[in-house]
Amino acid sequence: MTVSKRTKKATIADVAAAAGASVATVSRVLNGVRTVDPVLADRVRATIGELGYRPSAAAQGLARGRSGTLGVLVPDLANPYFHEIIKSVSAVARSSGARVLVMDSDENAAEERELAEELMRYADGLLLCSPRMERADLAALATRSVPMLVTNRQVPGLALQSITVDFFGGMMALCGHLAQLGHHRVVYLSGPEHAWANGERLRGVSAAEAFGLSVSVLACGYTTDDGYAVAPAALETGATAVLAYNDFVALGVLARLGELGVRVPEDISLTGFDAVDVARYSAPPLTTVAVPRDRLGRAAGEALGRLMAGDEGTEPETVPVELRVRGSSGAPS
Amino acid sequence: MTVSKRTKKATIADVAAAAGASVATVSRVLNGVRTVDPVLADRVRATIGELGYRPSAAAQGLARGRSGTLGVLVPDLANPYFHEIIKSVSAVARSSGARVLVMDSDENAAEERELAEELMRYADGLLLCSPRMERADLAALATRSVPMLVTNRQVPGLALQSITVDFFGGMMALCGHLAQLGHHRVVYLSGPEHAWANGERLRGVSAAEAFGLSVSVLACGYTTDDGYAVAPAALETGATAVLAYNDFVALGVLARLGELGVRVPEDISLTGFDAVDVARYSAPPLTTVAVPRDRLGRAAGEALGRLMAGDEGTEPETVPVELRVRGSSGAPS
DNA sequence: TTGAAAGCGCTAACAA
DNA sequence: TTGTTAGCGCTTTCAA
């Protein structure tokens, strides 16, 4: 069998004609319906192979009334935080014969709503990862006919299908650890302003004031560059420990402190968040909070699957985190 | 206007009926065809808004004969190398009204072919990022009716539409730099066996033997963990410089060397590849090679756009790289 | 400027 | 067990 350059796409009718069967029979073979004579079925399969036939996804989708596609919207495809999530969701989707359509909103809260609506045209179900959009938009989307699940966002008074990570608890744990070491003054390097994840962390450090920690907050960001830039300001607060929004920020801080001759943890303690791989390999390795992103992704994929199967209303789920004490935190000098 | 919970999806016929127009007219409004009475058009648009109508992607795709979707296949979604590429491709696609369907082959060369074929059912064009599949599979895919572009892979004798990065040149530059510093014995920590990117780097170090470098090769991998694990073996080769497959591997090596009390670059030099963000912030910062992934992604997106527009055959493009000399390389002791 | 109607490629009743 | 055929929701002639 030789396939020539740029084969024109074969249709089910072509296959039927070539195999001497009806389109219905070909469709049956395609879909594994058992009521087909094995001989005929083999002939059809052979023809399919010869013609290199593949059913059109659009036609199947239209006829079946569903696309077999899961839409995933993330704020930033270049943010490693979302990679494992996407990966796990993809894996879950694939195991149930679905595909994943990914879109990136570029951290643009205003455009998110429109992208989500667009995604709904293509997908049977929608996963909004850490959406930044306003409450009203989220509420409107939730009423659509496409099942929707949200990660890392909870809106008081809005019954959103959601799975969240216990950022609050994670930050509390971090603060508790520092307090135990004897710290009294800490500074939190704040992440994306509209991110729920940032709000929860902030809530966590604030709550820690209850057990005697004095907290200052510095607007920062979520990249290594952001951390590098804000490190001197963090130093000026006089805090004995720096709580970075995430590991990347912490690595930036660590680098800058190194340049400034400030030792970690002897002169100042430093913590990250997320427990990305590289955080284990810095010098010193970062004390941080492990966020099980694969688990989050898997849970999201499965919950979405249930929603799409008709299960109205999954319980909001909260994925626990885990404190990882490593070398970057120590007793204050 | 109140939208109730779980609106049933409206169709173009619903809109037509509600607006007192024909489906043809609604379609015209939807597609911006000018030959519609402004008053009628406004009425249609209003109805669309009220009904929250969105055209079905499947129906449009079927009727138009194209999906408006770009398929992207990557070996590993969790590998940061591909993130910026996906992101740039997405951006290019979006600017021309297309969407991106991403699939992950999980580094499984055997499954890649099947996934690519599957992707073709959904997409108008295909981007295979660093495909690991065999030559024959690649050749077969290239004959399909869906335009296909490949990054980081060139197959001798196969006219593949491709965009590659000059890994060979980058590795040569790294070797040249080390040779100039006075190194004579280096060890290359080899990456994924079937990756063209690894082959090219290997070709680069081998070519460097021409200017007096003695090279040994150690099977390693592409993660920080891999680097951490192989570091002692690298040390045992007696090389005065370690060329890691990429930055992540190098960071792993760096961490392990630190634990072993081996100083970089005083005791041994170390280089990375790719110039990911964090590589600038290690102590010492990594000497590496900058690979313009955004540019690769943009170029790929644009070239694919041209292919899909009917341009038979884009010239194979090679994206240049840039040596970044930083603190992790120095003269041998 | 508008509308009727014929597909697009497939699935799934329904008949045979 | 097989085939015929009516949709699925949209685009796009073709007529009016």
Side-chain angles (χ1 to χ4, degrees):
Chain A
M1 175 210 89
T2 320
V3 185
S4 63
K5 178 79 181 162
R6 285 275 171 279
T7 324
K8 200 73 255 120
K9 238 168 193 160
T11 72
I12 198 172
D14 298 333
V15 175
S22 70
V23 293
T25 296
V26 177
S27 174
R28 288 188 188 103
V29 172
L30 240 32
N31 295 291
V33 177
R34 314 281 312 175
T35 68
V36 179
D37 184 283
V39 181
L40 219 200
D42 278 344
R43 187 145 42 91
V44 168
R45 269 187 288 268
T47 311
I48 288 176
E50 277 158 25
L51 268 50
Y53 166 76
R54 293 264 164 174
S56 141
Q60 277 189 330
L62 185 55
R64 289 178 174 156
R66 53 199 165 66
S67 61
T69 296
L70 226 77
V72 177
L73 185 61
V74 296
D76 184 6
L77 265 175
N79 184 338
Y81 181 81
F82 298 109
H83 298 152
E84 276 177 72
I85 298 181
I86 297 177
K87 184 149 179 138
S88 316
V89 172
S90 290
V92 174
R94 217 158 92 201
S95 74
S96 58
R99 277 139 295 282
V100 170
L101 191 58
V102 181
M103 282 197 196
D104 174 341
S105 67
D106 250 326
E107 292 285 350
N108 186 336
E111 235 184 318
E112 259 185 351
R113 161 79 183 272
E114 177 54 29
L115 284 172
E117 302 245 26
E118 176 68 13
L119 216 37
M120 283 185 169
R121 305 201 305 126
Y122 287 86
D124 300 331
L126 212 57
L127 179 65
L128 300 185
C129 294
S130 308
R132 271 73 157 129
M133 73 181 83
E134 294 184 8
R135 181 207 151 89
D137 289 321
L138 220 41
L141 286 174
T143 68
R144 299 304 188 136
S145 59
V146 177
M148 186 177 92
L149 188 73
V150 171
T151 72
N152 290 343
R153 174 89 179 252
Q154 259 165 4
V155 184
L158 192 60
L160 224 44
Q161 300 296 325
S162 68
I163 299 189
T164 52
V165 171
D166 186 16
F167 295 128
F168 173 77
M171 194 48 100
M172 287 272 283
L174 236 26
C175 289
H177 164 66
L178 291 173
Q180 241 176 350
L181 287 173
H183 290 269
H184 296 294
R185 293 210 49 181
V186 305
V187 56
Y188 171 58
L189 307 183
S190 171
E193 204 182 340
H194 297 297
W196 180 85
N198 186 52
E200 288 295 292
R201 285 164 165 87
L202 205 46
R203 229 165 45 82
V205 277
S206 305
E209 292 193 309
F211 44 88
L213 230 47
S214 144
V215 178
S216 45
V217 177
L218 235 43
C220 178
Y222 60 98
T223 67
T224 308
D225 285 332
D226 293 331
Y228 185 86
V230 87
L235 231 36
E236 275 174 25
T237 64
T240 58
V242 178
L243 294 147
Y245 173 70
N246 66 20
D247 292 335
F248 291 101
V249 169
L251 290 175
V253 172
L254 185 62
R256 188 63 171 274
L257 292 180
E259 291 180 15
L260 297 173
V262 179
R263 294 165 308 162
V264 175
E266 292 82 358
D267 300 329
I268 195 165
S269 284
L270 175 65
T271 65
F273 214 106
D274 287 351
V276 299
D277 281 353
V278 284
R280 195 163 74 241
Y281 295 106
S282 57
L286 288 181
T287 289
T288 185
V289 166
V291 173
R293 291 178 291 275
D294 55 337
R295 186 167 154 190
L296 178 65
R298 219 174 319 119
E302 285 160 4
L304 200 46
R306 266 176 271 133
L307 277 178
M308 288 164 50
D311 267 42
E312 274 305 321
T314 313
E315 277 302 295
E317 213 174 314
T318 296
V319 177
V321 299
E322 206 177 288
L323 181 65
R324 290 257 198 285
V325 175
R326 297 203 278 238
S328 71
S329 56
S333 48
Chain B
M1 173 209 90
T2 319
V3 184
S4 63
K5 178 82 183 162
R6 284 276 170 278
T7 323
K8 199 72 251 124
K9 238 168 191 159
T11 72
I12 197 171
D14 298 331
V15 175
S22 70
V23 293
T25 297
V26 177
S27 174
R28 288 190 186 101
V29 173
L30 241 32
N31 295 290
V33 177
R34 316 282 309 177
T35 68
V36 179
D37 183 282
V39 180
L40 219 199
D42 277 345
R43 185 145 43 90
V44 168
R45 267 187 289 267
T47 311
I48 288 176
E50 277 158 27
L51 268 52
Y53 166 76
R54 293 264 164 174
S56 140
Q60 278 189 328
L62 185 55
R64 289 179 174 155
R66 53 202 164 64
S67 61
T69 295
L70 226 76
V72 177
L73 185 62
V74 297
D76 183 6
L77 264 176
N79 183 338
Y81 181 81
F82 298 110
H83 294 148
E84 278 178 71
I85 298 181
I86 297 176
K87 183 148 178 139
S88 319
V89 172
S90 290
V92 174
R94 218 157 93 200
S95 75
S96 58
R99 276 140 296 282
V100 170
L101 192 58
V102 181
M103 282 196 194
D104 174 340
S105 67
D106 250 324
E107 292 284 350
N108 186 334
E111 235 184 318
E112 260 184 351
R113 162 79 182 272
E114 178 53 29
L115 284 172
E117 303 243 25
E118 178 67 13
L119 217 36
M120 283 185 169
R121 305 201 305 125
Y122 287 86
D124 300 331
L126 212 59
L127 180 65
L128 301 185
C129 293
S130 310
R132 271 74 157 128
M133 73 182 83
E134 293 185 7
R135 181 208 152 89
D137 289 322
L138 221 40
L141 286 174
T143 68
R144 300 300 189 138
S145 59
V146 178
M148 185 177 92
L149 189 72
V150 171
T151 72
N152 291 342
R153 174 88 179 252
Q154 259 166 3
V155 184
L158 191 60
L160 223 45
Q161 301 294 327
S162 68
I163 299 190
T164 52
V165 171
D166 186 16
F167 296 128
F168 173 78
M171 194 47 100
M172 286 274 282
L174 235 27
C175 289
H177 164 67
L178 291 173
Q180 242 176 348
L181 288 173
H183 291 269
H184 296 296
R185 294 210 50 182
V186 304
V187 55
Y188 171 60
L189 306 183
S190 172
E193 204 182 342
H194 297 296
W196 180 84
N198 187 50
E200 288 294 293
R201 285 163 163 87
L202 205 46
R203 230 165 43 82
V205 277
S206 305
E209 293 194 308
F211 45 87
L213 231 47
S214 145
V215 178
S216 44
V217 176
L218 235 42
C220 178
Y222 61 98
T223 67
T224 308
D225 285 333
D226 293 331
Y228 184 87
V230 87
L235 231 36
E236 274 173 25
T237 64
T240 58
V242 178
L243 295 147
Y245 173 70
N246 66 20
D247 293 334
F248 291 101
V249 170
L251 290 175
V253 172
L254 186 62
R256 188 62 171 274
L257 291 180
E259 291 179 14
L260 298 172
V262 178
R263 294 164 308 162
V264 175
E266 292 81 358
D267 300 329
I268 195 166
S269 285
L270 175 65
T271 65
F273 214 105
D274 289 350
V276 299
D277 282 354
V278 284
R280 196 163 74 239
Y281 295 106
S282 57
L286 288 181
T287 290
T288 186
V289 166
V291 173
R293 291 178 292 273
D294 55 338
R295 185 167 154 189
L296 178 64
R298 220 174 317 122
E302 285 160 2
L304 198 47
R306 265 176 270 133
L307 278 178
M308 288 164 51
D311 266 44
E312 275 304 323
T314 314
E315 276 301 297
E317 213 174 313
T318 295
V319 177
V321 299
E322 206 176 288
L323 181 64
R324 291 256 198 284
V325 175
R326 297 201 279 238
S328 71
S329 56
S333 50

